[in-house]
Structure formats: C-alpha cells, structure tokens
Short mmCIF file of all heavy atoms in Angstrom, two decimals:
data_model
loop_
_atom_site.label_atom_id
_atom_site.label_comp_id
_atom_site.label_asym_id
_atom_site.label_seq_id
_atom_site.Cartn_x
_atom_site.Cartn_y
_atom_site.Cartn_z
N SER A 1 -134.75 -79.10 -17.46
CA SER A 1 -133.88 -78.25 -18.28
C SER A 1 -134.08 -76.76 -18.04
O SER A 1 -133.17 -75.97 -18.25
CB SER A 1 -134.14 -78.56 -19.78
OG SER A 1 -133.89 -79.89 -20.09
N ARG A 2 -135.26 -76.42 -17.59
CA ARG A 2 -135.56 -75.01 -17.35
C ARG A 2 -134.65 -74.44 -16.27
O ARG A 2 -134.26 -73.26 -16.30
CB ARG A 2 -137.05 -74.85 -16.93
CG ARG A 2 -137.43 -73.46 -16.47
CD ARG A 2 -137.36 -72.46 -17.61
NE ARG A 2 -137.78 -71.14 -17.19
CZ ARG A 2 -137.00 -70.22 -16.64
NH1 ARG A 2 -135.72 -70.50 -16.41
NH2 ARG A 2 -137.47 -69.05 -16.31
N TRP A 3 -134.26 -75.27 -15.32
CA TRP A 3 -133.55 -74.76 -14.14
C TRP A 3 -132.16 -75.36 -13.94
O TRP A 3 -131.57 -75.20 -12.88
CB TRP A 3 -134.40 -75.00 -12.89
CG TRP A 3 -135.76 -74.43 -12.98
CD1 TRP A 3 -136.94 -75.10 -13.18
CD2 TRP A 3 -136.11 -73.06 -12.90
NE1 TRP A 3 -137.98 -74.25 -13.22
CE2 TRP A 3 -137.53 -72.97 -13.06
CE3 TRP A 3 -135.40 -71.89 -12.70
CZ2 TRP A 3 -138.22 -71.75 -13.04
CZ3 TRP A 3 -136.04 -70.67 -12.68
CH2 TRP A 3 -137.46 -70.62 -12.82
N ASP A 4 -131.64 -76.10 -14.94
CA ASP A 4 -130.33 -76.69 -14.69
C ASP A 4 -129.17 -75.86 -15.18
O ASP A 4 -127.99 -76.27 -15.03
CB ASP A 4 -130.27 -78.13 -15.33
CG ASP A 4 -130.33 -78.08 -16.85
OD1 ASP A 4 -130.35 -76.98 -17.44
OD2 ASP A 4 -130.38 -79.18 -17.45
N GLY A 5 -129.45 -74.73 -15.77
CA GLY A 5 -128.37 -73.82 -16.19
C GLY A 5 -127.60 -74.25 -17.40
O GLY A 5 -126.56 -73.65 -17.73
N GLN A 6 -128.07 -75.27 -18.11
CA GLN A 6 -127.32 -75.78 -19.27
C GLN A 6 -127.76 -75.18 -20.60
O GLN A 6 -127.25 -75.56 -21.65
CB GLN A 6 -127.50 -77.33 -19.36
CG GLN A 6 -127.03 -78.05 -18.11
CD GLN A 6 -125.56 -77.85 -17.85
OE1 GLN A 6 -124.73 -77.98 -18.74
NE2 GLN A 6 -125.25 -77.48 -16.58
N GLN A 7 -128.70 -74.24 -20.55
CA GLN A 7 -129.17 -73.54 -21.77
C GLN A 7 -129.75 -74.52 -22.80
O GLN A 7 -129.51 -74.36 -23.99
CB GLN A 7 -128.07 -72.66 -22.36
CG GLN A 7 -127.57 -71.59 -21.41
CD GLN A 7 -126.50 -70.71 -22.01
OE1 GLN A 7 -125.95 -71.01 -23.07
NE2 GLN A 7 -126.22 -69.61 -21.38
N LYS A 8 -130.44 -75.49 -22.33
CA LYS A 8 -131.07 -76.45 -23.25
C LYS A 8 -132.57 -76.50 -23.05
O LYS A 8 -133.23 -77.52 -23.33
CB LYS A 8 -130.47 -77.85 -22.98
CG LYS A 8 -129.00 -77.96 -23.36
CD LYS A 8 -128.46 -79.36 -23.12
CE LYS A 8 -126.98 -79.43 -23.54
NZ LYS A 8 -126.41 -80.81 -23.31
N TRP A 9 -133.13 -75.41 -22.60
CA TRP A 9 -134.57 -75.33 -22.43
C TRP A 9 -135.16 -74.87 -23.75
O TRP A 9 -135.42 -73.70 -23.96
CB TRP A 9 -134.93 -74.40 -21.28
CG TRP A 9 -136.38 -74.50 -20.88
CD1 TRP A 9 -137.07 -75.64 -20.57
CD2 TRP A 9 -137.28 -73.42 -20.68
NE1 TRP A 9 -138.36 -75.34 -20.20
CE2 TRP A 9 -138.52 -74.00 -20.28
CE3 TRP A 9 -137.20 -72.03 -20.82
CZ2 TRP A 9 -139.64 -73.22 -19.99
CZ3 TRP A 9 -138.32 -71.27 -20.54
CH2 TRP A 9 -139.52 -71.86 -20.12
N ASN A 10 -135.40 -75.80 -24.64
CA ASN A 10 -135.91 -75.49 -25.99
C ASN A 10 -136.70 -76.68 -26.51
O ASN A 10 -136.86 -77.67 -25.81
CB ASN A 10 -134.76 -75.13 -26.93
CG ASN A 10 -133.71 -76.23 -27.00
OD1 ASN A 10 -134.00 -77.38 -27.29
ND2 ASN A 10 -132.45 -75.87 -26.70
N LEU A 11 -137.20 -76.55 -27.70
CA LEU A 11 -138.06 -77.61 -28.25
C LEU A 11 -137.35 -78.48 -29.29
O LEU A 11 -137.98 -79.16 -30.07
CB LEU A 11 -139.32 -77.00 -28.87
CG LEU A 11 -140.29 -76.39 -27.85
CD1 LEU A 11 -141.45 -75.74 -28.55
CD2 LEU A 11 -140.82 -77.48 -26.91
N HIS A 12 -136.02 -78.43 -29.35
CA HIS A 12 -135.27 -79.27 -30.27
C HIS A 12 -135.38 -80.73 -29.80
O HIS A 12 -135.15 -81.02 -28.61
CB HIS A 12 -133.82 -78.85 -30.35
CG HIS A 12 -133.62 -77.47 -30.82
ND1 HIS A 12 -134.25 -76.93 -31.91
CD2 HIS A 12 -132.84 -76.46 -30.33
CE1 HIS A 12 -133.88 -75.69 -32.10
NE2 HIS A 12 -133.02 -75.37 -31.14
N MET A 13 -135.76 -81.61 -30.69
CA MET A 13 -135.91 -83.01 -30.32
C MET A 13 -134.56 -83.70 -30.37
O MET A 13 -134.25 -84.51 -31.24
CB MET A 13 -136.92 -83.70 -31.27
CG MET A 13 -137.47 -85.01 -30.69
SD MET A 13 -138.22 -84.90 -29.07
CE MET A 13 -139.67 -83.90 -29.43
N ILE A 14 -133.71 -83.33 -29.37
CA ILE A 14 -132.35 -83.82 -29.27
C ILE A 14 -132.14 -84.32 -27.85
O ILE A 14 -132.58 -83.68 -26.87
CB ILE A 14 -131.35 -82.69 -29.61
CG1 ILE A 14 -131.53 -82.22 -31.04
CG2 ILE A 14 -129.90 -83.18 -29.39
CD1 ILE A 14 -130.69 -81.02 -31.40
N ASP A 15 -131.47 -85.45 -27.73
CA ASP A 15 -131.13 -85.95 -26.39
C ASP A 15 -130.19 -84.96 -25.70
O ASP A 15 -129.14 -84.60 -26.27
CB ASP A 15 -130.51 -87.32 -26.47
CG ASP A 15 -130.35 -87.99 -25.14
OD1 ASP A 15 -129.55 -87.53 -24.31
OD2 ASP A 15 -131.01 -89.02 -24.89
N GLU A 16 -130.52 -84.57 -24.48
CA GLU A 16 -129.76 -83.51 -23.84
C GLU A 16 -128.33 -83.96 -23.46
O GLU A 16 -127.45 -83.10 -23.31
CB GLU A 16 -130.47 -83.02 -22.59
CG GLU A 16 -130.55 -84.00 -21.44
CD GLU A 16 -130.76 -83.30 -20.11
OE1 GLU A 16 -131.39 -82.21 -20.10
OE2 GLU A 16 -130.30 -83.81 -19.09
N ASP A 17 -128.12 -85.27 -23.33
CA ASP A 17 -126.78 -85.75 -22.98
C ASP A 17 -125.96 -86.15 -24.21
O ASP A 17 -124.80 -85.75 -24.35
CB ASP A 17 -126.89 -86.93 -22.01
CG ASP A 17 -127.38 -86.53 -20.63
OD1 ASP A 17 -127.15 -85.36 -20.27
OD2 ASP A 17 -127.99 -87.37 -19.95
N THR A 18 -126.56 -86.95 -25.07
CA THR A 18 -125.81 -87.52 -26.18
C THR A 18 -125.81 -86.66 -27.43
O THR A 18 -124.97 -86.83 -28.31
CB THR A 18 -126.36 -88.91 -26.55
OG1 THR A 18 -127.69 -88.77 -27.09
CG2 THR A 18 -126.39 -89.82 -25.32
N GLY A 19 -126.77 -85.75 -27.52
CA GLY A 19 -126.89 -84.92 -28.72
C GLY A 19 -127.51 -85.64 -29.91
O GLY A 19 -127.57 -85.10 -31.00
N GLU A 20 -127.99 -86.88 -29.68
CA GLU A 20 -128.60 -87.66 -30.75
C GLU A 20 -130.00 -87.15 -31.06
O GLU A 20 -130.72 -86.69 -30.17
CB GLU A 20 -128.67 -89.14 -30.37
CG GLU A 20 -127.30 -89.80 -30.19
CD GLU A 20 -127.43 -91.22 -29.66
OE1 GLU A 20 -128.34 -91.46 -28.83
OE2 GLU A 20 -126.66 -92.06 -30.10
N GLN A 21 -130.37 -87.24 -32.34
CA GLN A 21 -131.73 -86.90 -32.71
C GLN A 21 -132.70 -87.90 -32.11
O GLN A 21 -132.41 -89.08 -32.00
CB GLN A 21 -131.87 -86.93 -34.25
CG GLN A 21 -131.22 -85.75 -34.95
CD GLN A 21 -131.96 -84.44 -34.69
OE1 GLN A 21 -131.34 -83.43 -34.36
NE2 GLN A 21 -133.28 -84.46 -34.83
N ILE A 22 -133.88 -87.41 -31.71
CA ILE A 22 -134.88 -88.27 -31.10
C ILE A 22 -136.06 -88.37 -32.03
O ILE A 22 -136.60 -87.37 -32.49
CB ILE A 22 -135.33 -87.72 -29.73
CG1 ILE A 22 -134.13 -87.65 -28.78
CG2 ILE A 22 -136.44 -88.56 -29.16
CD1 ILE A 22 -134.47 -86.99 -27.45
N GLU A 23 -136.49 -89.60 -32.29
CA GLU A 23 -137.76 -89.85 -32.94
C GLU A 23 -138.64 -90.55 -31.93
O GLU A 23 -138.64 -91.77 -31.80
CB GLU A 23 -137.55 -90.74 -34.18
CG GLU A 23 -138.85 -91.10 -34.93
CD GLU A 23 -139.58 -89.89 -35.47
OE1 GLU A 23 -138.92 -88.93 -35.92
OE2 GLU A 23 -140.83 -89.88 -35.42
N PRO A 24 -139.42 -89.77 -31.17
CA PRO A 24 -140.17 -90.39 -30.04
C PRO A 24 -141.28 -91.30 -30.49
O PRO A 24 -141.92 -91.04 -31.52
CB PRO A 24 -140.72 -89.16 -29.29
CG PRO A 24 -140.78 -88.08 -30.30
CD PRO A 24 -139.66 -88.33 -31.27
N ARG A 25 -141.48 -92.34 -29.75
CA ARG A 25 -142.57 -93.28 -30.02
C ARG A 25 -143.79 -92.84 -29.21
O ARG A 25 -143.69 -92.61 -27.99
CB ARG A 25 -142.17 -94.69 -29.64
CG ARG A 25 -143.19 -95.74 -30.03
CD ARG A 25 -142.78 -97.15 -29.59
NE ARG A 25 -143.78 -98.15 -29.99
CZ ARG A 25 -143.70 -98.81 -31.14
NH1 ARG A 25 -142.70 -98.63 -31.97
NH2 ARG A 25 -144.66 -99.69 -31.46
N LEU A 26 -144.94 -92.74 -29.86
CA LEU A 26 -146.14 -92.27 -29.17
C LEU A 26 -146.76 -93.34 -28.29
O LEU A 26 -147.28 -93.06 -27.23
CB LEU A 26 -147.21 -91.82 -30.21
CG LEU A 26 -147.16 -90.35 -30.69
CD1 LEU A 26 -148.39 -90.08 -31.52
CD2 LEU A 26 -147.09 -89.40 -29.52
N SER A 27 -146.73 -94.56 -28.73
CA SER A 27 -147.46 -95.63 -28.03
C SER A 27 -146.58 -96.85 -27.86
O SER A 27 -145.67 -97.11 -28.66
CB SER A 27 -148.71 -96.01 -28.82
OG SER A 27 -149.32 -97.17 -28.29
N VAL A 28 -146.86 -97.63 -26.81
CA VAL A 28 -146.13 -98.89 -26.63
C VAL A 28 -146.89 -100.05 -27.34
O VAL A 28 -146.42 -101.20 -27.33
CB VAL A 28 -145.88 -99.25 -25.16
CG1 VAL A 28 -145.06 -98.17 -24.50
CG2 VAL A 28 -147.19 -99.49 -24.43
N LEU A 29 -148.04 -99.72 -27.95
CA LEU A 29 -148.76 -100.74 -28.68
C LEU A 29 -147.89 -101.24 -29.86
O LEU A 29 -147.44 -100.45 -30.68
CB LEU A 29 -150.08 -100.20 -29.21
CG LEU A 29 -151.03 -101.23 -29.84
CD1 LEU A 29 -151.46 -102.28 -28.83
CD2 LEU A 29 -152.25 -100.54 -30.46
N GLY A 30 -147.66 -102.52 -29.91
CA GLY A 30 -146.79 -103.07 -30.94
C GLY A 30 -145.46 -103.56 -30.35
O GLY A 30 -144.81 -104.45 -30.90
N ILE A 31 -145.11 -103.00 -29.17
CA ILE A 31 -143.91 -103.46 -28.46
C ILE A 31 -144.27 -103.80 -27.02
O ILE A 31 -143.42 -103.96 -26.17
CB ILE A 31 -142.77 -102.42 -28.48
CG1 ILE A 31 -143.22 -101.13 -27.80
CG2 ILE A 31 -142.29 -102.14 -29.89
CD1 ILE A 31 -142.08 -100.14 -27.56
N GLU A 32 -145.61 -103.92 -26.77
CA GLU A 32 -146.05 -104.13 -25.39
C GLU A 32 -145.72 -105.52 -24.92
O GLU A 32 -145.57 -106.46 -25.72
CB GLU A 32 -147.54 -103.86 -25.30
CG GLU A 32 -148.45 -105.01 -25.77
CD GLU A 32 -148.63 -105.04 -27.29
OE1 GLU A 32 -148.05 -104.19 -27.99
OE2 GLU A 32 -149.33 -105.94 -27.78
N ASP A 33 -145.64 -105.66 -23.63
CA ASP A 33 -145.50 -106.98 -22.99
C ASP A 33 -146.81 -107.59 -22.60
O ASP A 33 -146.95 -108.82 -22.44
CB ASP A 33 -144.58 -106.88 -21.75
CG ASP A 33 -143.16 -106.55 -22.12
OD1 ASP A 33 -142.61 -107.25 -23.00
OD2 ASP A 33 -142.60 -105.60 -21.57
N GLU A 34 -147.82 -106.73 -22.43
CA GLU A 34 -149.17 -107.24 -22.11
C GLU A 34 -150.16 -106.12 -22.36
O GLU A 34 -149.82 -104.96 -22.49
CB GLU A 34 -149.24 -107.68 -20.64
CG GLU A 34 -149.09 -106.57 -19.63
CD GLU A 34 -149.34 -107.03 -18.21
OE1 GLU A 34 -150.51 -107.13 -17.85
OE2 GLU A 34 -148.36 -107.29 -17.50
N ILE A 35 -151.42 -106.56 -22.48
CA ILE A 35 -152.55 -105.64 -22.50
C ILE A 35 -153.20 -105.70 -21.12
O ILE A 35 -153.64 -106.79 -20.69
CB ILE A 35 -153.57 -106.00 -23.58
CG1 ILE A 35 -152.94 -105.93 -24.97
CG2 ILE A 35 -154.74 -105.03 -23.49
CD1 ILE A 35 -152.48 -104.58 -25.40
N GLY A 36 -153.18 -104.63 -20.39
CA GLY A 36 -153.69 -104.63 -19.02
C GLY A 36 -154.81 -103.65 -18.88
O GLY A 36 -155.14 -102.84 -19.76
N MET A 37 -155.45 -103.70 -17.74
CA MET A 37 -156.59 -102.81 -17.44
C MET A 37 -156.17 -101.74 -16.48
O MET A 37 -155.55 -102.02 -15.45
CB MET A 37 -157.76 -103.65 -16.85
CG MET A 37 -159.02 -102.83 -16.59
SD MET A 37 -160.36 -103.87 -16.00
CE MET A 37 -160.72 -104.84 -17.51
N VAL A 38 -156.49 -100.51 -16.79
CA VAL A 38 -156.13 -99.36 -15.95
C VAL A 38 -157.37 -98.75 -15.37
O VAL A 38 -158.42 -98.66 -16.02
CB VAL A 38 -155.32 -98.30 -16.76
CG1 VAL A 38 -156.15 -97.70 -17.87
CG2 VAL A 38 -154.78 -97.23 -15.84
N ARG A 39 -157.30 -98.33 -14.11
CA ARG A 39 -158.38 -97.62 -13.47
C ARG A 39 -158.27 -96.14 -13.72
O ARG A 39 -157.19 -95.55 -13.52
CB ARG A 39 -158.39 -97.88 -11.96
CG ARG A 39 -158.79 -99.28 -11.56
CD ARG A 39 -159.07 -99.35 -10.07
NE ARG A 39 -159.50 -100.71 -9.65
CZ ARG A 39 -158.68 -101.57 -9.06
NH1 ARG A 39 -157.43 -101.26 -8.85
NH2 ARG A 39 -159.15 -102.76 -8.71
#
C-alpha cells in the first residue's frame, strides 16, 4: 500500500478492496487442521 498510489497507507483495519471492516484472528488454534512441529 505504501507504493501503489492508492492513498491507503494507513492503520485503518479495513479491507483495501472491499472496504469491509476487518477483525483479524491472531491464531489458527481452534480452527487448525493439525498440530505440527516447526523447526
């Protein structure tokens, strides 16, 4: 957004295309497909 010239480089939690409000999910725990091991 910083360089696309659309003047949407801000901290509003809004979808840049649809204009919908965003309530972001912090973790996939609870909707995960598996518990895996990461290096």
Side-chain angles (χ1 to χ4, degrees):
S1 299
R2 172 68 178 86
W3 304 105
D4 67 4
Q6 301 300 310
Q7 298 182 348
K8 294 181 179 179
W9 193 50
N10 55 57
L11 291 175
H12 300 313
M13 198 55 68
I14 299 173
D15 190 293
E16 69 158 30
D17 289 333
T18 66
E20 296 174 322
Q21 286 291 133
I22 299 175
E23 179 60 38
R25 186 182 182 92
L26 273 187
S27 171
V28 300
L29 187 63
I31 61 169
E32 79 279 1
D33 292 309
E34 66 174 279
I35 299 295
M37 184 176 291
V38 64
R39 289 193 179 101

